């Protein structure tokens, strides 16, 4: 089981809850207080909870923050943060909800 993220955040179906939780732990370690506040709509979610969505403007802020923080993450974690960040930016540029289910 895992998250399916709209706008290309999960190109191969889903990302496991454990993998996403581990990404969030890594992001918290490198994020400033302000960046954590921006990421709160993501970081406050628990694995396996029901579907949630993020408004386009908030998705834009989250996407930019994820891409900024990706620079401080190693290899696959960096790639995942960038991919999820880009999906948030695509949702925002289309003025659509960024959906996680």
């Amino acid at each position: 089981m895992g998250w399916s993220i709209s706008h290309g955040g999960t190109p191969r179906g889903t990302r496991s809850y454990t993998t996403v939780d581990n990404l969030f732990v890594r992001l918290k370690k490198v994020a400033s207080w302000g960046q954590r506040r921006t990421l709160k709509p993501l970081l406050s979610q628990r694995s396996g909870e029901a579907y949630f969505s993020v408004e386009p403007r908030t998705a834009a802020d989250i996407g930019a923050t994820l891409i900024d923080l990706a620079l401080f993450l190693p290899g696959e974690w960096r790639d995942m943060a960038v991919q999820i960040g880009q999906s948030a930016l695509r949702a925002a540029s289309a003025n659509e909800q960024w959906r996680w289910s």
Side-chain angles (χ1 to χ4, degrees):
M1 304 244 341
W3 289 112
S4 177
I5 306 166
S6 72
H7 298 85
T10 48
R12 292 179 224 110
T14 62
R15 292 194 184 272
S16 77
Y17 294 136
T18 302
T19 300
V20 173
D21 286 346
N22 287 332
L23 174 63
F24 289 172
V25 167
R26 290 173 184 271
L27 288 168
K28 286 178 189 176
K29 288 181 181 180
V30 298
S32 68
W33 180 84
Q35 289 169 319
R36 281 189 216 149
R37 186 174 42 151
T38 299
L39 296 176
K40 187 175 180 178
L42 296 185
L43 302 178
S44 65
Q45 298 300 320
R46 295 192 190 277
S47 291
E49 286 188 350
Y51 163 95
F52 73 96
S53 62
V54 178
E55 295 293 326
R57 181 166 177 88
T58 303
D61 294 339
I62 290 171
T65 300
L66 285 171
I67 291 169
D68 288 346
L69 291 174
L71 297 172
F72 302 101
L73 300 175
E76 290 180 32
W77 299 109
R78 177 181 51 247
D79 297 344
M80 187 185 335
V82 168
Q83 185 171 42
I84 294 171
Q86 288 173 340
S87 74
L89 294 175
R90 279 192 290 276
S93 69
N95 199 33
E96 296 175 351
Q97 296 282 318
W98 186 41
R99 295 174 311 277
W100 288 57
S101 56

